[in-house]
Every structure is written in structure tokens, then in C-alpha cells.
Amino acid sequence: MIPPLVNELLESWLNWIYPPACAACGAEMESAAIPLCEPCLHFMTRLRPPVCALCGAPLEIDAAPPCPNCPDAKPAYACARSVLSYDDDRARNAIHALKFHYQKTLSLPLGRLLYIGWDYYYREVLFDALVPVPLHKQRRREREFNQSTLLCEVLSSFCRIPVREDLVFRIRKTIPQTKLDFKIRQKNLIGAIQPASGDAARNMSLLIVDDVMTTGATVNEVAAALKKGGAKKIAVLTLARAPRKAFST
């Protein structure tokens, strides 16, 4: 075991050689404990009404759903909401750093932002559990964590709603959705997500949590599986929202 003083000296030396940088904007930081600077944390583009009452996409004026970003068919969830715009480079960079560059400490500030979204949209809704979008077991072994679970756990620590990873499972490894166009995204997930058992979520009110919502295909498959498991009410909260038009070709 490395003595604390030696560990501190080693960390200081590494910070001098490789100064920690903000995962969102690249600005140099004093500490790497939470790799997100205060300006980025406070000035990432927040989504505020008007948003689509169904899918949560930002709108220029209030309008009844479906909006141009809504699913083509009625989704299995009642409504979806998001906190940040994925068009914001800072938000996108921070999410990529968590998801693809294994900067797990980002789950704390990003999870706090999720809590802001929960407080704004869902505080008055009684949920029985938070449900992270599941990873296939092979991909989870490769990544060593599920970013949606990390975000869920931080959100849970603030809103005091338990996290349930045992209600749905991804039983088939799929091609990452980011590599697919809109139509293929929907087909890619068919049959990939299943409930734990026939009535695992019976009569439960559930909030699905994920990092990014694009076409909504992933969260819709999770919601459909939860309904199959008996859930009575399902909503969605994601950290960021990307417009469907960006994924329509």
C-alpha cells in the first residue's frame, strides 16, 4: 500500500506533468477529482418549455403532439423529458468522456443535473423506482460499468427513489445505436430487451433513466419490456436530447 504522503506527492507530480482538464471544454483545472469546470457545469444549454408534451423535444412554440421528433407509432412510455441539449458541445463532450473515456467521476455532476430535471418535471410524480437502460452483459464487462446506472445512483441519492436494475435485461448484444440511421435504430433493438419475468414490474410506476435520447428507440424498447412485466406507468428522463432530424438520414 502506498503511504498517503507518497500518494499525494505522486498525484501532484502527475498533475504538474499532465494538468487536469475539463472534460467538456478542455480548460485546465486545479484538480481532477471532478473533471468538469464550473462555467461548463452552469452554462450547458438547458432545455426549457416549450417542449413536446410526449417526447420532450424542444419546440419553438407550444403545440400538441406528435411533433416532428415524436416516434412514428405511439410509444410505450407516457412522456419523456431531458435536461440538456445534445447540440451543446460541452454537454456532448462531457457525456462522451463518461461513456467512452471512462471518466466515471463525471457521473456526480451530471447526475446532479439529472436531479435538476427530475425536480423540474417529475417532483410531483410518485415513482416506485428508477430504471437505468440496461447494457448487454458482454458490453458491461468490456466497459466495466453502465453509465446509466451511475447516473441513476446519483439521482437516487438526491430524490430518494430506489434504483432497480433487476426489472429488465438486454438479452441480445446489439450494434451501438450511434452507428445507425433512424430506421435501422428501431429494427436493431427488436427483441433485445426483455423483462426479468412475466410480472416483475407489476403495478409499478417507473422512471427510465439514460444519458442521451435521440430517436427514442432504446427507451421505448425498455418501456415496452417494463409494460410486458406489468408496469402501470412509465416515464423517461435523460440527461440530454438530440433532435430526431439529425438521425433521419
Side-chain angles (χ1 to χ4, degrees):
M1 182 176 180
I2 301 175
L5 179 58
V6 175
N7 193 55
E8 288 179 17
L9 290 172
L10 180 60
E11 183 177 348
S12 297
W13 180 78
L14 287 173
N15 287 342
W16 181 71
I17 299 296
Y18 305 105
C22 173
C25 70
E28 188 173 319
M29 300 178 64
E30 292 183 2
S31 171
I34 297 180
L36 194 63
C37 70
E38 286 295 320
C40 282
L41 183 61
H42 290 292
F43 295 110
M44 287 181 185
T45 304
R46 309 290 207 274
L47 295 182
R48 287 288 186 263
V51 299
C52 176
L54 177 58
C55 77
L59 302 174
E60 293 184 2
I61 58 173
D62 278 314
C67 79
N69 290 280
C70 276
D72 294 328
K74 184 179 179 180
Y77 54 83
C79 66
R81 294 292 182 268
S82 303
V83 184
L84 304 173
S85 170
Y86 200 60
D87 286 339
D88 188 321
D89 289 342
R90 294 166 296 190
R92 187 166 58 253
N93 291 342
I95 292 169
H96 282 193
L98 168 63
K99 190 172 182 177
F100 302 118
H101 302 297
Y102 310 104
Q103 292 185 255
K104 293 192 289 184
T105 52
L106 279 166
S107 62
L108 181 57
L110 296 180
R112 286 173 176 167
L113 288 172
L114 260 181
Y115 172 70
I116 291 173
W118 173 86
D119 187 61
Y120 191 84
Y121 291 115
Y122 291 126
R123 173 171 283 277
E124 302 304 319
V125 182
L126 297 176
F127 291 109
D128 296 301
L130 307 175
V131 180
V133 168
L135 286 179
H136 186 267
K137 57 184 179 182
Q138 182 179 338
R139 184 158 288 136
R140 177 139 186 182
R141 282 197 302 268
E142 292 167 354
R143 189 177 292 171
E144 298 183 347
F145 66 92
N146 179 351
Q147 73 281 351
S148 297
T149 299
L150 294 181
L151 293 170
C152 254
E153 289 170 347
V154 176
L155 175 58
S156 174
S157 71
F158 287 104
C159 68
R160 304 301 178 187
I161 300 172
V163 178
R164 292 288 300 272
E165 289 191 271
D166 60 330
L167 297 179
V168 286
F169 296 94
R170 194 180 291 246
I171 61 172
R172 178 169 58 82
K173 187 178 180 182
T174 55
I175 300 170
Q177 294 286 84
T178 53
K179 299 180 179 180
L180 304 174
D181 65 25
F182 173 70
K183 291 183 179 179
I184 301 300
R185 281 171 181 247
Q186 294 178 305
K187 295 179 181 178
N188 183 47
L189 289 163
I190 294 175
I193 299 172
Q194 294 292 328
S197 67
D199 60 354
R202 181 170 296 280
N203 294 326
M204 295 182 76
S205 178
L206 302 169
L207 181 63
I208 298 169
V209 176
D210 204 7
D211 53 355
V212 181
M213 181 173 171
T214 51
T215 64
T218 301
V219 292
N220 191 52
E221 284 299 312
V222 175
L226 290 170
K227 272 195 170 181
K228 188 177 179 181
K232 65 179 180 180
K233 184 175 182 179
I234 303 165
V236 176
L237 178 64
T238 68
L239 184 60
R241 184 72 162 81
R244 168 176 161 173
K245 62 185 179 182
F247 300 86
S248 60
T249 58

